[in-house]
Amino acid sequence: MFEPRLAIASLSGESDAEWATQVAPHIGCAFLGGIALDSATRDAAREMVDRDRTEFLPDDPIDFIDEQLAALDDADMRAGFNVRSATLEPIAKAAETCANHDALLEINAHCRQEEMCAVGAGQSLLCDGDRLCEQVTTAAGAGADVSVKIRTEVEGVDLPSLARRLADTGADALHVDAMDSEPVVREVAEAAPDAFLVANNGVRDRATAHEYLEYGADAVSVGRPSDNPTVLRRVREAVDEWFAATGGAESRSEVSPDA
């Protein structure tokens, strides 16, 4: 999926090609975005901007994705683009664009902002597995490798069961924000063993990176301190150390849980 096994996670309105390029020597993947694709999510994003949220709102979201990914075509990392949509057609277009750049299309089932959830995007998709699986099927059908950004601690959501459905539907990667429920990462890993699992939340150093890798993650991602080379250097060293100690395993199924 990507090497080294360290990603930086999208921060709405901040994570662009320049952001990724500045820390390229430390990472294996950069998730750009998130970006609202259709009229409903773009209207929601404008409402969020009105209350001082930072959002990408280009005239044409697909052109913006293409331009941003093109700027990273020669970078020594894999790119991904985190997208939010209430409808399927723009997901297919975004996925085609990502596929043209060998980039991941990441479906955002993570954003918990009220405006985005109200139009049927972001975290609301976790509570509507059928719609979320439709988005995965659409993106995969357009030729992209598909990641789904999900989060723990959503009432009424059995995340491991949903993870299994997403993997069966065509998700190549699951990007899990563990919130304050880090052990759920192990449950997701066991439920969807064929999906590449990226664990997120509070990754800052050796201890936090190794905790997620012990739970079964294939990689970790850094969010808020993603522009801090000192943090990224620490985490990169920890990730490299882990996989060197486990024989450079290609998947978590080859990693001893007691390593």
Side-chain angles (χ1 to χ4, degrees):
M1 184 65 65
F2 57 82
E3 294 284 349
R5 304 289 186 90
L6 170 60
I8 48 177
S10 61
L11 304 170
S12 292
E14 300 179 32
S15 301
D16 57 10
E18 182 179 1
W19 162 82
T21 300
Q22 290 175 348
V23 294
H26 306 290
I27 63 174
C29 182
F31 289 100
L32 280 59
I35 189 168
L37 294 179
D38 62 356
S39 58
T41 54
R42 284 169 63 79
D43 286 346
R46 291 187 186 97
E47 292 178 16
M48 290 156 62
V49 168
D50 287 344
R51 59 175 176 83
D52 296 326
R53 286 272 300 181
T54 303
E55 291 285 326
F56 291 121
L57 279 167
D59 291 337
D60 188 319
I62 303 301
D63 283 351
F64 180 74
I65 293 172
D66 188 43
E67 292 166 1
Q68 291 292 307
L69 293 178
L72 296 176
D73 279 343
D74 296 326
D76 189 19
M77 74 175 86
R78 192 169 194 193
F81 222 108
N82 180 289
V83 303
R84 295 170 294 191
S85 183
T87 54
L88 297 177
E89 183 178 356
I91 288 177
K93 292 179 179 178
E96 289 174 4
T97 302
C98 287
N100 290 338
H101 295 278
D102 190 31
L104 291 154
L105 185 284
E106 182 166 86
I107 295 170
N108 186 318
H110 174 269
C111 177
R112 56 183 172 179
Q113 301 302 314
E114 291 182 2
E115 297 90 341
M116 204 60 64
C117 292
V119 300
Q123 180 179 290
S124 69
L125 290 167
L126 293 180
C127 302
D128 192 343
D130 290 343
R131 287 187 59 238
L132 181 53
C133 285
E134 284 181 345
Q135 293 199 2
V136 171
T137 299
T138 298
D145 287 344
V146 182
S147 172
V148 186
K149 184 74 177 289
I150 54 181
R151 72 184 323 137
T152 64
E153 301 183 356
V154 177
E155 186 176 356
V157 175
D158 182 342
L159 201 64
S161 295
L162 179 60
R164 184 182 302 111
R165 286 188 65 190
L166 294 171
D168 290 345
T169 301
D172 302 284
L174 298 171
H175 192 174
V176 182
D177 184 343
M179 304 297 287
D180 293 317
S181 301
E182 292 86 351
V184 174
V185 171
R186 184 185 298 280
E187 297 175 24
V188 172
E190 293 172 349
D194 294 330
F196 188 89
L197 180 56
V198 184
N200 170 262
N201 195 273
V203 177
R204 301 289 187 272
D205 51 25
R206 182 182 186 276
T208 52
H210 282 200
E211 179 182 17
Y212 284 126
L213 295 170
E214 287 171 357
Y215 285 139
D218 294 298
V220 295
S221 73
V222 174
R224 288 293 163 196
S226 57
D227 60 352
N228 186 328
T230 301
V231 171
L232 295 179
R233 189 179 301 110
R234 265 199 316 261
V235 177
R236 167 69 184 276
E237 289 173 355
V239 170
D240 289 348
E241 175 190 12
W242 172 271
F243 286 106
T246 56
E250 291 300 319
S251 70
R252 59 180 174 273
S253 62
E254 301 174 44
V255 179
S256 166
D258 298 321

